[in-house]
Amino acid sequence: MFDYKHFDSIMNHFLLANIVIFAKFTKFEVYPVPAGNYIQLSVDFVHYAVYTSEGHKVLEGNEYKSDQPVETSFFQPRVYFILTLDNN
């Protein structure tokens, strides 16, 4: 079982050091761009988290299935980062 607290720790280290090394990158698309009331990701993920550029987590979810809508109507206009964990 994956410890999701460790997932947040990875993001915190990234924000503090501005450097993080991942063993594997998964290419995926986010659409629509610009986002309205929802976004969709093109790949399945075990866990995902959305962060502001200041490092504040604004959303997270588990067991994301490709093309499932993710509610973003409460997001403020700004840049966001998506950190994901897949099954591999």
Side-chain angles (χ1 to χ4, degrees):
M1 186 71 174
F2 182 79
D3 179 2
Y4 293 108
K5 291 179 183 175
H6 181 68
F7 188 80
D8 285 339
S9 175
I10 291 170
M11 188 61 190
N12 288 338
H13 287 296
F14 172 71
L15 293 169
L16 293 174
N18 292 325
I19 299 173
V20 66
I21 298 172
F22 293 100
K24 178 185 172 198
F25 289 97
T26 300
K27 182 178 179 180
F28 63 94
E29 295 177 11
V30 178
Y31 52 91
V33 176
N37 292 329
Y38 70 94
I39 59 169
Q40 292 175 269
L41 310 175
S42 62
V43 177
D44 295 351
F45 293 108
V46 173
H47 186 81
Y48 68 92
V50 180
Y51 293 84
T52 66
S53 57
E54 294 84 22
H56 303 287
K57 187 188 323 178
V58 293
L59 182 67
E60 70 180 317
N62 296 314
E63 301 302 327
Y64 178 81
K65 299 297 179 197
S66 155
D67 298 326
Q68 170 186 346
V70 175
E71 178 70 30
T72 58
S73 62
F74 59 92
F75 283 21
Q76 297 298 316
R78 61 173 54 182
V79 174
Y80 293 91
F81 297 93
I82 302 174
L83 187 61
T84 61
L85 176 68
D86 64 17
N87 286 323
N88 298 318

